[in-house]
Amino acid sequence: MVKYIQEHFGEGLTLATLAGEFKMSESYISRLIKKRTGKGFGEHLMEVRIQKAQEYLRTTNNSIEAIAERVGYPDYFYFTKVYKKATGISPAAYRRQL
């Protein structure tokens, strides 16, 4: 399940999506993810997305808006807010530091 999240982080993943994919209840999936990662589903998904965003910021010249969409945040402004909350700096500032 954690591997599935790693492979499909850019899609509109939800607990309901995983429940349908793995034929398990949302609460059971939530418990499994928490046990495996130490984080809830939403927090784990956000962490995966931010890590991938940082990778794309380092290794591509794609716009921040394009990277936001690629990692599963179609709203650029929301992505910037989540990114800054998670890392302490904006995606643009992270890229400038490189």
Side-chain angles (χ1 to χ4, degrees):
M1 207 160 316
V2 172
K3 183 178 179 186
Y4 185 89
I5 293 170
Q6 289 279 351
E7 293 170 353
H8 298 273
F9 64 88
E11 300 168 14
L13 278 183
T14 64
L15 278 173
T17 306
L18 292 177
E21 183 70 27
F22 290 97
K23 310 290 189 260
M24 299 176 188
S25 74
E26 292 179 28
S27 61
Y28 184 64
I29 289 173
S30 184
R31 285 193 304 272
L32 287 176
I33 291 170
K34 178 84 169 184
K35 185 176 180 183
R36 175 73 188 240
T37 67
K39 297 178 177 86
F41 167 74
E43 187 179 359
H44 176 66
L45 179 59
M46 181 204 61
E47 186 176 273
V48 169
R49 287 175 167 173
I50 297 300
Q51 288 172 354
K52 285 295 187 179
Q54 287 180 320
E55 178 185 325
Y56 297 146
L57 287 164
R58 283 192 309 271
T59 61
T60 72
N61 290 324
N62 294 346
S63 70
I64 295 171
E65 187 171 1
I67 291 170
E69 287 187 31
R70 187 171 179 187
V71 299
Y73 291 103
D75 182 336
Y76 166 78
F77 296 104
Y78 181 68
F79 166 71
T80 301
K81 181 179 175 180
V82 170
Y83 188 97
K84 189 169 185 175
K85 183 177 181 183
T87 65
I89 61 172
S90 70
Y94 178 78
R95 186 173 255 175
R96 280 193 301 270
Q97 288 180 350
L98 300 175

